[in-house]
C-alpha cells in the first residue's frame, strides 16, 4: 500500500519497469484499496497490486520440491556439511564434505548466508552480509483479509491453517561483525537509503566471528559443522511493534494470539540483487546467493538459471545483471546510484 505520494511514485516506477519483463501490475486508488481489504481502517493513497502473485507454505513446498528433484534423478544428502570447495589446476573439481570428497565438473555454491565464507576459502570475494528478519504466525482467525498486504510497518499473508504470518516489511537487525567493516564501502549506499529501518547491534557476534568463522579445511571440523543451522533469536521488540501496527490498521488483529515467532538470517548484497553467476577466477564454480529476502519466491527460476549456467544451456534470461563481477566494476554499485 502507498502511504504517501513518494511511495506511490515509487510504485508507479516499479510498474513501468516490470512491464518490460512481462509482469502485469497496476495501481489501486484509495477506494479500491479499501474495497479489496475488508476490515482495513488505515487510509492509503493507493497500492501496487499484482493479480498474478501467489503464496505458498514453505514447510509444504520445500519437501515437495525436493521429492520432485529426486524423481528427476537428483541425490539429496542431508546433515552433511561441505567443508571446502575442491580446486585442482585452478578449476573447481568437487567438494570436500565431512563424510569425504564428492567429485564434480561443476560446483554451485548456493549456501545462503554461508556463501561468502565458502567462496573466501578459494580466494573469491563476495560482498554479502547477514541481516536478521523476524516473523510470527497467529492462531486461526475467523477473518479473511482477501489478499496479502504490505505496509511499511507490517506485512501479512493468510496461512492454510487459518492463521496469518505477519512480519515487518522494513525493519531488520544488522550485527556489526568483521565483514561489516570489510564490506563497509559496498554497503554504505544501501545503509544510507534504508537507515531508518536498520538497527545496528554490536556484541559478542563480532568476537565470535573474528575468532571462529574461518573457511573450512578438508581434514578439520569446520564452522559449518559447529553451527549447522543459523537459527537466531527473533527481534521481540520489532514483533511487538508489528502487532501494534497491524492491530491499529486492521482491528480484527488487535487481540490475536501469537502461536510462534522466529528469526532468519537473510543473505544480502549491496544492491539487494542476487548473484547468479559463473566465477571468473575459478572455472567450473558457479554461485547463486544474495537473494535479500526474496529467495523463496524467485527460487525456482533462479534454480533453472543456475542449471543453465552449469550445463552450458542457453540461459533462461540475461545473466548480466546478476554477475558477481559487478561489485568490482566502476559504477557498479555507487552512492550516486542510490540517491
Amino acid at each position: 500500500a502507498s502511504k504517501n505520494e513518494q511511495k506511490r511514485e515509487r510504485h508507479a516506477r516499479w510498474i513501468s519497469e516490470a512491464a518490460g519483463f512481462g509482469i502485469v501490475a497496476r495501481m489501486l486508488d484509495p477506494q479500491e484499496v479499501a474495497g479489496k481489504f475488508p476490515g482495513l481502517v488505515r487510509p492509503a493513497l493507493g497500492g501496487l497490486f499484482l493479480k498474478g502473485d501467489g503464496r505458498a507454505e514453505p514447510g509444504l513446498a520445500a519437501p515437495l520440491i525436493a521429492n520432485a528433484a529426486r524423481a528427476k534423478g537428483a541425490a539429496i544428502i542431508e546433515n552433511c556439511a561441505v567443508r571446502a570447495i575442491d580446486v585442482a589446476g585452478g578449476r573447481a573439481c568437487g567438494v570436500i564434505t565431512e563424510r569425504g570428497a564428492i567429485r564434480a565438473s561443476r560446483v554451485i555454491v548456493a549456501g545462503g548466508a554461508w556463501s561468502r565464507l565458502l567462496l573466501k576459502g578459494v580466494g573469491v570475494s563476495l560482498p554479502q552480509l547477514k541481516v536478521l528478519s523476524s516473523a510470527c504466525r497467529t492462531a486461526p482467525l475467523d477473518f479473511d483479509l482477501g489478499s496479502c498486504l504490505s505496509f511499511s510497518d507490517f506485512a501479512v499473508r493468510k496461512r492454510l491453517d487459518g492463521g496469518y504470518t505477519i512480519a515487518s516489511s522494513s525493519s531488520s537487525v544488522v550485527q556489526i561483525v568483521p565483514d561489516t567493516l570489510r564490506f563497509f564501502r559496498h554497503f554504505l549506499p544501501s545503509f544510507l537509503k534504508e537507515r531508518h529501518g536498520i538497527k545496528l547491534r554490536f556484541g559478542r557476534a563480532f568476537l565470535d566471528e573474528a575468532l571462529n568463522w574461518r573457511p573450512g579445511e578438508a581434514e578439520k571440523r569446520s564452522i559449518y559443522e559447529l553451527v549447522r543451522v543459523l537459527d537466531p533469536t527473533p527481534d521481540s521488540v520489532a514483533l511487538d511493534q508489528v502487532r501494534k501496527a497491524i492491530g491499529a490498521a486492521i482491528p480484527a488483529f488487535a487481540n490475536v494470539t501469537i502461536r510462534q515467532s522466529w528469526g532468519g538470517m537473510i543473505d544480502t548484497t549491496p544492491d539487494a540483487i542476487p548473484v547468479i553467476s559463473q566465477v571468473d577466477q575459478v572455472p567450473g564454480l558457479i554461485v547463486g546467493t544474495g537473494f535479500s529476502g526474496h529467495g523463496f519466491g524467485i527460487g525456482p527460476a533462479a534454480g533453472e538459471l543456475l542449471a543453465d549456467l552449469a550445463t552450458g544451456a542457453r540461459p533462461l534470461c540475461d545473466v548480466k545483471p546478476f554477475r558477481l563481477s559487478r561489485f568490482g566494476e566502476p559504477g557498479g554499485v555507487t552512492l550516486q546510484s542510490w540517491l
Side-chain angles (χ1 to χ4, degrees), residues 88 90 172 227 294 307:
S172 55
V227 186
H294 302 287

Side-chain angles (χ1 to χ4, degrees), residues 19-325:
F21 296 93
I23 299 173
V24 179
R26 69 182 184 92
M27 286 293 296
L28 302 178
D29 61 34
Q31 292 73 30
E32 288 177 306
V33 172
K36 189 167 289 293
F37 299 101
L40 177 66
V41 298
R42 177 188 290 186
L45 287 180
L48 170 64
F49 181 64
L50 288 87
K51 185 177 180 180
D53 265 11
R55 61 178 184 259
E57 298 292 342
L60 297 177
L64 289 173
I65 293 171
N67 289 336
R70 286 192 180 100
K72 294 289 186 178
I76 300 176
I77 305 172
E78 299 182 83
N79 300 310
C80 179
V82 169
R83 289 179 173 174
I85 300 165
D86 198 7
V87 176
R91 182 181 182 85
C93 59
V95 293
I96 306 298
T97 79
E98 61 184 297
R99 301 182 193 175
I102 298 176
R103 301 301 175 194
S105 59
R106 300 287 189 279
V107 175
I108 298 175
V109 176
W114 294 110
S115 297
R116 194 268 237 247
L117 202 58
L118 283 163
L119 291 175
K120 183 181 179 181
V122 291
V124 176
S125 178
L126 167 70
Q128 178 177 286
L129 294 178
K130 303 181 294 298
V131 176
L132 171 64
S133 183
S134 302
C136 59
R137 66 178 179 90
T138 74
L141 194 63
D142 187 19
F143 171 76
D144 187 2
L145 184 59
S147 299
C148 302
L149 176 65
S150 176
F151 278 91
S152 60
D153 50 0
F154 73 85
V156 56
R157 71 167 179 88
K158 192 162 188 177
R159 303 171 59 91
L160 292 178
D161 61 8
Y164 286 82
T165 294
I166 56 176
S168 170
S169 301
S170 58
S171 177
S172 55
V173 175
V174 176
Q175 290 283 351
I176 297 176
V177 296
D179 276 351
T180 314
L181 306 181
R182 187 174 288 114
F183 298 124
F184 176 79
R185 70 178 182 88
H186 291 282
F187 281 90
L188 179 59
S190 58
F191 171 74
L192 293 175
K193 183 178 179 67
E194 305 292 342
R195 62 189 179 277
H196 298 297
I198 296 176
K199 303 177 185 177
L200 295 176
R201 297 287 186 267
F202 183 82
R204 62 181 298 176
F206 186 97
L207 189 60
D208 179 37
E209 294 200 17
L211 295 177
N212 302 317
W213 287 47
R214 296 281 188 274
E217 298 179 30
E219 303 302 324
K220 295 182 180 180
R221 193 179 185 200
S222 65
I223 186 65
Y224 315 118
E225 295 155 79
L226 295 173
V227 186
R228 289 186 181 275
V229 178
L230 287 174
D231 187 18
T233 301
D235 183 354
S236 59
V237 174
L239 290 180
D240 284 343
Q241 293 172 343
V242 167
R243 291 180 62 186
K244 291 177 182 177
I246 195 172
I250 309 171
F253 287 88
N255 298 305
V256 69
T257 299
I258 301 299
R259 286 281 176 83
Q260 181 188 13
S261 60
W262 64 91
M265 287 299 191
I266 294 174
D267 48 322
T268 305
T269 61
D271 54 9
I273 295 173
V275 174
I276 305 174
S277 174
Q278 295 175 332
V279 179
D280 296 336
Q281 306 97 304
V282 186
L285 186 59
I286 300 160
V287 59
T289 192
F291 291 91
S292 304
H294 302 287
F296 181 67
I298 63 178
E304 184 174 346
L305 183 55
L306 286 166
D308 292 340
L309 293 176
T311 60
R314 182 178 180 180
L316 171 69
C317 63
D318 181 11
V319 298
K320 186 176 180 181
F322 310 113
R323 67 198 182 282
L324 173 60
S325 62

